[in-house]
Amino acid sequence: MLGEAERRYKDGEILRAIAGDLGVSRQRLAVRLRERGVRLRGEKPSSEQVREMCLRYEQGESLATVGERMGFNASSVRVALIAAGVKLRDTNGRVR
């Protein structure tokens, strides 16, 4: 049952619809999927993930590369880095 829910979620279905079909709450399904290692859409990075993002970015990786490696888009990485106080580079690699 959870395998099917995970597949449907990864295919783009929303938690509420999947949970309704399974007869469980959206929150319970979210917990079970997280336990299986599924990162939920729209979820913010944890403080540990932000630390890793900062480290990778400061070592020279681009926002896009950091995002790809960590399962977030570049925009989410940018927001997390700014909130963490990291000075961003311009397109030429210079600190702004």
Side-chain angles (χ1 to χ4, degrees):
M1 174 172 100
L2 281 175
E4 178 68 14
E6 182 178 343
R7 183 197 60 75
R8 289 175 59 186
Y9 184 75
K10 287 181 176 180
D11 285 345
E13 286 190 59
I14 61 172
L15 282 178
R16 190 172 311 283
I18 300 167
D21 290 348
L22 297 176
V24 298
S25 72
R26 185 196 63 75
Q27 293 85 357
R28 184 174 180 93
L29 179 58
V31 167
R32 295 292 182 246
L33 289 175
R34 279 191 206 101
E35 287 172 352
R36 291 175 62 97
V38 176
R39 192 181 72 77
L40 302 181
R41 293 184 293 270
E43 210 169 46
K44 294 181 180 182
S46 68
S47 58
E48 181 178 310
Q49 288 173 316
V50 172
R51 281 192 297 275
E52 185 173 346
M53 287 176 181
C54 293
L55 180 65
R56 289 178 175 275
Y57 185 77
E58 289 168 351
Q59 290 176 342
E61 291 185 20
S62 69
L63 295 173
T65 301
V66 173
E68 278 179 36
R69 292 179 190 248
M70 300 197 61
F72 293 92
N73 63 39
S75 181
S76 297
V77 173
R78 181 180 180 278
V79 168
L81 293 178
I82 290 170
V86 174
K87 299 288 185 193
L88 299 182
R89 298 183 298 267
D90 66 13
T91 55
N92 295 313
R94 295 179 300 244
V95 176
R96 295 180 186 186

